Amino acid sequence: MTKIFSSNITAVKEGGKTKKFFAVLTATIPLLMGIFIFFNPIPHTTAIKEFCFYISLLVLMTLILFRKTAFSLRSPLSLPFALFFLWGIFGLFFALDLTNSLHDLRAHFLKYVLIYYLLVNYFDTDKKLEILSWIVIASATIFSLGTIIDFYFIDGNPFARRLGETFLEIHTDYIGFILIFALTLTLHKLFHNKSIIIKSLLFVSSLVLCLTTLLTQSRGSLIALFIAIIILSCLNKKILIFMIITILLVIIIPGFKERINVNAILQNERVQMNALTMEIIKSYPVTGIGFGMQIYGNKNFVDLKEFDSRLPKKYQGGVGGMFIGSPHNTLLDIAVRTGIIGLILFLSIVLSAIWMLWKAEKSARNEYFRSWIICAFAAIVSFMVAALFADTAFGPQAIVFYTILAIITILYNITTGPNKSENSAV
């Protein structure tokens, strides 16, 4: 049987049709992953995304089996990923809920890392990187228009109401992660594209993305948006025009000014939420409560009322008498689930990505890649700033994070790789 199987493979390798077959399989992965990224923020498309992801993995396994791919796990982020994953496995021995921790370690970390490697390996050139960025922009713009029409015009909500408050799949606090990332890519292209038609489309898209972000009335998104614009202004000072546009929209949108006054910020419910999370971290400082995201809000494992009673009187009582079942702060979320060591390992992923951008900037051969590097830097910094106000370890926002990491890695590989002198702008 072994000889027959071996001879069949040899015969297959010699056939021209088989060569085309494997070429089609190879092209299938970036196609499916492009569809996956496009539908990332779109609601009610879970089946499509799952299909694209798992078929991509199946195709990849087939290509690896027949040695028809140069797929590689080599990346400066591989070690930080591995260390964080191993610490998550170690934490299973101390997790308050083993079942949920096992599930989330696979579904909300390992899966996203696989998405990262698929993007890095199959969008590995400047032209493919451009395609990926256009997919992100188109997806976010369509999502923006759809949500505005659905929430305000079909459901009839007043513009004073925060966009997405009734959404189940991607809530108000998560929308900004999708849109700000797309906006950084849009503004980057806007001032580096010579076509009048394309520039006009990009300008309209940037306005739609900016307006939709601000309609969420998210303070975290507003700060992140300002930071992204400031960093991108290093490419072209005209980008600061969007700072003025943003300020005007904040003034115009009903109710937003009240959300950013001093009293609203100082008396914000997040102060109590952060204090409560810190109290839990004090009790589980090394390994955390477990990787599972459902542990924090499960009274069978974590009695939030009991931890609340330990706080100073001014921080007690929860939010309007209720206790929110998540930290709403990515760094505190990582710390409470994986301990201080887990937080350090997670931060090593972010810091390694920034180091990669620094190395890429030093090796960049032309202005095209330098502008891309600044764009990627704006994306990762604005994401981490907004992450201080929301949980980002799951869902569409997590996929945005790993897509940003993939883009950074692609830029690093292009600019520092053995063929860096041959790479040129699209």
Side-chain angles (χ1 to χ4, degrees), residues 318-366:
V319 180
M322 297 178 61
F323 295 98
I324 308 300
S326 63
H328 281 262
N329 179 311
T330 296
L331 298 187
L332 291 181
D333 173 57
I334 297 294
V336 79
R337 291 190 295 118
T338 64
I340 301 301
I341 295 176
L343 175 61
I344 292 171
L345 293 175
F346 174 79
L347 289 175
S348 73
I349 296 173
V350 179
L351 294 175
S352 295
I354 294 173
W355 173 83
M356 289 165 66
L357 286 174
W358 178 76
K359 290 288 290 183
E361 199 280 330
K362 294 293 182 182
S363 303
R365 296 284 173 148
N366 53 53

Side-chain angles (χ1 to χ4, degrees), residues 80 124 281 304 379:
D124 56 342
I281 293 172
L304 295 180

Side-chain angles (χ1 to χ4, degrees), residues 95-100 284 289 294-304 307:
L96 302 183
D97 185 351
L98 177 60
T99 302
N100 183 229
Y284 302 91
I289 61 177
Q294 302 300 318
I295 300 174
Y296 188 99
N298 191 328
K299 62 182 179 180
N300 294 321
F301 300 108
V302 179
D303 188 349
L304 295 180
F307 283 103

Side-chain angles (χ1 to χ4, degrees), residues 361-424:
E361 199 280 330
K362 294 293 182 182
S363 303
R365 296 284 173 148
N366 53 53
E367 197 58 37
Y368 171 78
F369 287 108
R370 291 193 182 94
S371 66
W372 251 114
I373 290 164
I374 292 174
C375 175
F377 182 66
I380 189 70
V381 172
S382 59
F383 183 96
M384 291 309 301
V385 168
L388 296 175
F389 302 88
D391 302 314
T392 62
F394 66 94
Q397 61 273 22
I399 293 171
V400 167
F401 178 65
Y402 286 91
T403 302
I404 294 171
L405 293 181
I407 288 175
I408 291 172
T409 305
I410 294 167
L411 289 170
Y412 174 84
N413 290 340
I414 292 175
T415 55
T416 65
N419 299 320
K420 63 181 181 180
S421 60
E422 300 174 9
N423 293 305
S424 59

